[in-house]
Structure formats: C-alpha cells, structure tokens
Amino acid sequence: MRTLLMAVVALISMDASAAEQTFPADGGVVYFNMPSGNVGCQYTPAGGSDVYKPEDGGPELGCDRIEPTYLRFILGKSGKAKRYQNVGDTGCCDGSHTLEYGNSWKKGPFSCTSDKAGLSCTRNDGHGFFISRSRTQVY
C-alpha cells in the first residue's frame, strides 16, 4: 500500500512539473514558440543582451504573430502591453523550443500559458496580452 501511495505522489509531482516548461537561455535571452509555429516569443533580461537593449532597460517579453497579419506584442517592465502592426524585422518562429499546449513558462516577472485557443502572457502586476490567429488583446 505504501509503495502504491508513493507511486501516486510521484505521478502527481511529475504532472505538476511537466506543466511548466523551461528553455535554455542564450546570454540570458530565452526563445520559445507555439506548437502551431504561428507565434514566437523572446524574453530579454534586465540590461538586455549584446545585440538588443530594451527601451526601458528591461526585462522585456516580446512575441510575434505571423498569420493572418504579422503583429508584434511587447510587455516591458511596467505599463500596459503594446501591439505593433508595421514590423520591419519579421523573423519569427525558428521552432527550436516549443511551449506545448497546456503548459506554461515563467521567467522574471513574466509568465505565459500555451493553449489551443492561443497564447496568454502576463507580468506579475496583471498587464499582458493574448494572441491567436483570430483575436488579439493587450491589457
């Protein structure tokens, strides 16, 4: 009976940890994509990286949606998220790290949840964005 109980506890622990994914960081920068390949995100830590410095000093979470129109969403260290429609550097979604549907990701003040309905990302003060093919929202 004790062995069965320990097995159940181990399974519950595995399910809980599998629901939150982590990805390797390149100089503190983390990349991940939705399983659809339509949305890709980049987390940049405070102070930025060798190739990119956030406007407000960071940290910053930016996500690009490819279809039906290319859009970029930026969530900085404070304030409401921003949506950009005319993005000049459209290089989204390399597919190297996938945030599977039903899983979440957390880094710094940001967290994102991947769902078949879309991607929801928030900063710990409640500001964030939602991205899908059919709908977007910043708050």
Side-chain angles (χ1 to χ4, degrees):
M1 184 63 120
R2 179 182 161 111
T3 305
L4 178 61
L5 180 60
M6 289 173 58
V8 169
V9 169
L11 273 175
I12 291 170
S13 297
M14 278 190 344
D15 288 344
S17 64
E20 186 174 317
Q21 290 182 245
T22 58
F23 303 106
D26 180 11
V29 177
V30 176
Y31 302 92
F32 64 88
N33 303 297
M34 291 286 288
S36 67
N38 194 44
V39 176
C41 298
Q42 173 181 321
Y43 164 82
T44 306
S49 69
D50 291 342
V51 295
Y52 176 71
K53 307 282 184 212
E55 243 180 64
D56 63 5
E60 179 182 276
L61 179 65
C63 296
D64 289 5
R65 181 192 76 177
I66 300 172
E67 297 289 337
T69 57
Y70 203 103
L71 298 172
R72 179 165 293 152
F73 299 81
I74 302 289
L75 186 58
K77 69 179 179 181
S78 64
K80 188 176 174 181
K82 297 176 184 170
R83 177 179 39 229
Y84 298 93
Q85 295 182 340
N86 298 314
V87 179
D89 60 338
T90 56
C92 179
C93 311
D94 69 1
S96 59
H97 305 292
T98 302
L99 181 59
E100 298 296 338
Y101 295 134
N103 288 354
S104 62
W105 165 89
K106 292 180 183 181
K107 186 83 173 175
F110 307 111
S111 62
C112 295
T113 301
S114 173
D115 189 85
K116 288 183 181 180
L119 179 70
S120 298
C121 295
T122 56
R123 191 178 51 237
N124 52 13
D125 66 359
H127 287 288
F129 52 79
F130 173 80
I131 307 170
S132 74
R133 286 185 194 274
S134 61
R135 181 173 74 87
T136 64
Q137 180 182 4
V138 294
Y139 46 92

